[in-house]
Each structure stands twice: as C-alpha cells, then as structure tokens.
Amino acid sequence: NGKDNDEDKQHDDGEKYGFNSKRSPPRVSELKAFEDDLYSMIENVAFRKTSSKFQETLKNDLKRIRESDEIIVPADKSRNLYRMPIDQYKRLLHENMTKSYKKA
C-alpha cells in the first residue's frame, strides 16, 4: 500500500541521516598512509596549561565569592553590586516591604 511505503521512507531517512545509502564508500588504498598519519597526529595532540593575569584575577574573585558568608545584592537604581551579611539583608528587605503597611 502507498501509505506503508511513505512511512518506511520517512523511517529510513532518519536512520541514513539524509544520505542515499547506509553503506560506506570503498577505502582508497593510496590514502591509507595519509589516514594513518592523520589519526596519529590527532592522538598526539597535547595541550599546555596557560593563563593570563585576567584569568587569574577572575579565578581569585570567584573563589572569594564562593567562600564568602555574605550575599551580593544589586542596587536599586544603578548597576552596582554590594556585599552584606545575610541577616542584615533579610532585615532590610523585611523593613522595606513592611514600611508602607498601615495598622487596621
């Protein structure tokens, strides 16, 4: 039936990832040495540890932030950030939220 063939085609396209066939092309023997050298180069890639003054400063700042007992709070009308103890922040937050309450 036509309906079954359409479903099979859709399923096959997904497995072939858009290629016409699942089969690989035959290997070219003349390229074997080149491919071996290329794989060898990839296996022997070595990375060295590098860092800049900026990266060191950033790493130290992050460490100081993570180890801090204080909270970092954004300012109301500027882009500034401030550090303050958590208890003080909670108290200020509570005071600012309840300052406009009226007694009933």
Side-chain angles (χ1 to χ4, degrees):
N1 299 348
K3 187 176 181 181
D4 291 335
N5 288 339
D6 289 340
E7 289 176 8
D8 289 341
K9 284 183 182 179
Q10 288 175 348
H11 187 67
D12 286 344
D13 287 341
E15 291 178 2
K16 294 187 289 182
Y17 303 101
F19 293 106
N20 294 332
S21 172
K22 289 184 182 181
R23 295 181 4 194
S24 299
R27 293 194 67 152
V28 178
S29 59
E30 291 86 10
L31 292 178
K32 177 147 179 40
F34 170 75
E35 290 173 355
D36 291 342
D37 289 343
L38 186 64
Y39 290 133
S40 174
M41 280 178 40
I42 293 170
E43 288 174 355
N44 295 326
V45 170
F47 295 96
R48 60 189 166 109
K49 192 166 185 132
T50 61
S51 66
S52 67
K53 189 173 183 175
F54 171 72
Q55 288 175 324
E56 289 298 320
T57 304
L58 192 62
K59 184 169 71 170
N60 290 334
D61 289 346
L62 281 172
K63 183 179 178 184
R64 203 171 76 231
I65 289 170
R66 286 188 182 122
E67 292 175 353
S68 175
D69 293 335
E70 297 178 320
I71 189 169
I72 298 174
V73 183
D76 284 342
K77 297 180 182 179
S78 71
R79 292 178 164 247
N80 296 342
L81 297 172
Y82 297 98
R83 290 184 311 179
M84 64 172 43
I86 296 172
D87 294 338
Q88 181 183 359
Y89 172 72
K90 287 181 179 179
R91 189 178 71 249
L92 282 172
L93 189 63
H94 183 266
E95 288 172 2
N96 284 323
M97 287 191 323
T98 59
K99 72 181 175 185
S100 62
Y101 288 0
K102 294 181 183 177
K103 289 188 177 183

